[in-house]
Amino acid sequence: MAAPGASNPYGWIAQSLKTLHRANWYRQVQAIDGQGGPKISIDGQPYLNFASNDYLGLAGDPRLIAAATAAISRYGTGSTGSRLLSGHRPIHRQLEQAIAQLKGTDDAVVFSSGYLANLGTLAALVDHRDLIVADRYNHSSLQMGARLSGAVLAVYDHNNLEQLRQNLTNLRHQYRRCVIVTDSVFSMDGDLCLLPEILTIADRWNAMIMVDEAHGTGVLGDTGGGAVELLGCRHHPMVQVGTFSKALGSLGGYVTGSAELIDFLRNRAATWIYTTGLSPAAAAAAKAAIAILTQEPKRLTQLAANANYLRQRLDTLPNINRLPSESPIVCIQVKDAATVLSLGQHLKHQGIFAAAVRPPTVPTSRLRMTVMATHTEGDIDRLVEGMWSFWAEKSGKEH
Ligand SMILES: *Cc1c(COP(=O)(O)O)cnc(C)c1O
């Protein structure tokens, strides 16, 4: 055994970093200047942006900026306390009513982020006496929420309903409550969960459903209500969570559902009770975004048309393995981490910014592209041509 003080107790951190570098898993930030949108600037260079969650192009919209600025003038920059003490402002309640209306639910509660909404909601709904059955590809916040809750976690392979049923058959009777947890739009793949089927299974097994609409809200459904709306499931009781940080161009998370559910969370969700209320500026911007979504439904149809166009263009290229997608998230699978990094670099040289996503974020390396309502067909053509030239150059070198 090493004598106390003989070794550096932090030495393992440098070792871990080395391992990350060796596996091509190391990641770092890059600063994007300006307001986001389809055209961005990094280190003074212009890029077409296919890595944004700002699906409707609202994050830089003058009306959101005006709403945030007005809220700051009226309420100040910080909400100065937790919601149950001094941090609750009228703008929070207005936002809760607006998102509940968009979702067609009784009520809603606004958290400081989607990540916190997921942690706090799962930990409030279930504990060690209970069972969580979850899709393998669920977002990190749902996986961490499951751990935090202390409930027994059974994971089924992505969208594998047979395994979902099998888990319930084997385990459901041993536990008090049960919740089936799934992303509605899978964030790293872009496909949808099989919600109508999952609802039927949940009913059969007396299980709750928690569905994460982070990439569905403001993206899918006739009014932007999300995958729940698109798939015709709005009438069914469930726990819907999501974020204002993606299509709605702001920041903050929410849970919508029955009045009892929301009332219960206000009393039991630790990540809501013991954190400072969402800033007035973020709340006001999110509320303005919901109003624009309702007034300008053309943004939704344009977003869907752009996603379709990208998928169609990619499918004309030979030897491209496009993953199934029913959303503005479109991925092509790439052999390994090194290849996807060089593809990302190649695109960057062409002035195109798209995410090279690698393990451990996802099981297999991929280029992940997101389209926005504000992209033009010409922008998408440039992306596809940039990608095509990567493989053309590669096969040229190999021959
Ligand atoms: C982004 C995301 C979250 C977290 O939302 P934030 O508001 O950014 O914390 C949760 N779930 C999914 C599926 C997401 O994509």
Side-chain angles (χ1 to χ4, degrees):
M1 223 165 71
S7 63
N8 173 1
Y10 305 98
W12 64 269
I13 297 175
Q15 282 308 319
S16 269
L17 282 169
K18 261 190 214 147
T19 308
L20 289 176
H21 277 293
R22 227 179 291 126
N24 276 319
W25 286 13
Y26 182 77
R27 301 160 66 169
Q28 61 198 129
V29 298
Q30 46 194 331
I32 292 176
D33 209 3
Q35 293 184 343
K39 294 191 168 67
I40 55 171
S41 149
I42 304 173
D43 294 332
Q45 294 296 314
Y47 293 91
L48 270 176
N49 185 9
F50 287 97
S52 175
N53 294 324
D54 181 22
Y55 297 113
L56 298 175
L58 291 176
D61 189 285
R63 292 163 291 181
L64 269 70
I65 294 171
T69 310
I72 289 174
S73 300
R74 179 153 180 196
Y75 301 114
T77 48
S79 47
T80 73
S82 64
R83 293 280 300 280
L84 290 174
L85 290 175
S86 59
H88 178 71
R89 307 304 175 89
I91 189 70
H92 291 122
R93 190 61 197 144
Q94 291 160 18
L95 177 58
E96 287 170 346
Q97 283 163 343
I99 188 71
Q101 191 178 7
L102 176 69
K103 294 283 175 174
T105 55
D106 289 353
D107 203 356
V109 57
V110 165
F111 286 70
S112 301
S113 79
Y115 208 108
L116 289 172
N118 284 347
L119 292 183
T121 300
L122 267 174
L125 291 178
V126 288
D127 66 26
H128 64 280
R129 291 165 290 187
D130 305 317
L131 176 67
I132 294 174
V133 190
D135 191 289
R136 188 174 300 287
Y137 285 6
N138 278 352
H139 188 260
S140 161
S141 53
L142 295 172
Q143 299 183 20
M144 293 299 163
R147 278 209 225 170
L148 183 64
S149 75
V152 168
L153 172 63
V155 172
Y156 56 92
D157 283 347
H158 179 49
N159 273 343
N160 187 328
L161 296 183
E162 210 33 64
Q163 277 185 23
L164 166 59
R165 282 193 201 94
Q166 202 57 53
N167 278 317
L168 289 163
T169 309
N170 295 344
L171 298 170
R172 175 70 186 95
H173 63 279
Q174 300 173 37
Y175 298 93
R176 183 185 60 164
R177 301 176 195 144
C178 175
V179 58
I180 301 172
V181 181
T182 184
D183 283 16
S184 70
V185 178
F186 285 89
S187 56
M188 287 297 137
D189 293 72
D191 57 345
L192 305 189
C193 73
L194 304 165
L195 193 58
E197 293 84 350
I198 293 175
L199 291 176
T200 308
I201 295 171
D203 286 345
R204 154 89 176 73
W205 290 98
N206 188 29
M208 300 178 279
I209 304 247
M210 178 165 161
V211 59
D212 183 341
E213 287 267 50
H215 294 275
T217 304
V219 173
L220 300 177
D222 286 343
T223 68
V228 172
E229 180 185 18
L230 175 75
L231 299 171
C233 300
R234 295 185 93 158
H235 56 281
H236 201 285
M238 67 183 106
V239 182
Q240 290 188 55
V241 292
T243 179
F244 301 114
S245 67
K246 289 171 179 150
L248 298 174
S250 183
L251 181 69
Y254 61 80
V255 183
T256 69
S258 72
E260 284 94 7
L261 169 74
I262 301 308
D263 210 20
F264 172 78
L265 291 176
R266 282 193 206 103
N267 285 277
R268 277 284 177 261
T271 61
W272 186 79
I273 298 169
Y274 301 107
T275 196
T276 301
L278 182 65
S279 79
K287 186 183 152 227
I290 295 172
I292 293 172
L293 173 66
T294 310
Q295 290 152 15
E296 299 176 4
K298 243 196 90 198
R299 285 175 187 265
L300 280 169
T301 45
Q302 189 58 50
L303 176 61
N306 284 353
N308 259 329
Y309 184 68
L310 174 59
R311 283 188 290 262
Q312 279 168 10
R313 286 286 332 251
L314 287 174
D315 291 347
T316 62
L317 301 183
N319 304 323
I320 287 233
N321 184 7
R322 181 172 72 71
L323 300 178
S325 155
E326 296 157 90
S327 72
I329 303 167
V330 180
C331 296
I332 58 165
Q333 198 162 321
V334 176
K335 189 173 73 198
D336 51 30
T339 311
V340 80
L341 284 178
S342 63
L343 172 57
Q345 276 308 314
H346 175 89
L347 290 173
K348 226 176 148 191
H349 287 139
Q350 320 248 327
I352 292 161
F353 186 59
V357 191
R358 294 157 279 160
T361 307
V362 289
T364 54
S365 296
R366 69 199 60 182
L367 189 80
R368 177 182 183 273
M369 297 154 279
T370 52
V371 295
M372 303 170 61
T374 41
H375 279 127
T376 63
E377 284 195 354
D379 294 339
I380 295 169
D381 290 338
R382 265 187 62 198
L383 167 66
V384 173
E385 280 147 25
M387 203 173 317
W388 177 234
S389 66
F390 176 74
W391 271 285
E393 264 178 35
K394 244 173 100 75
S395 61
K397 273 185 206 140
E398 278 158 16
H399 290 138

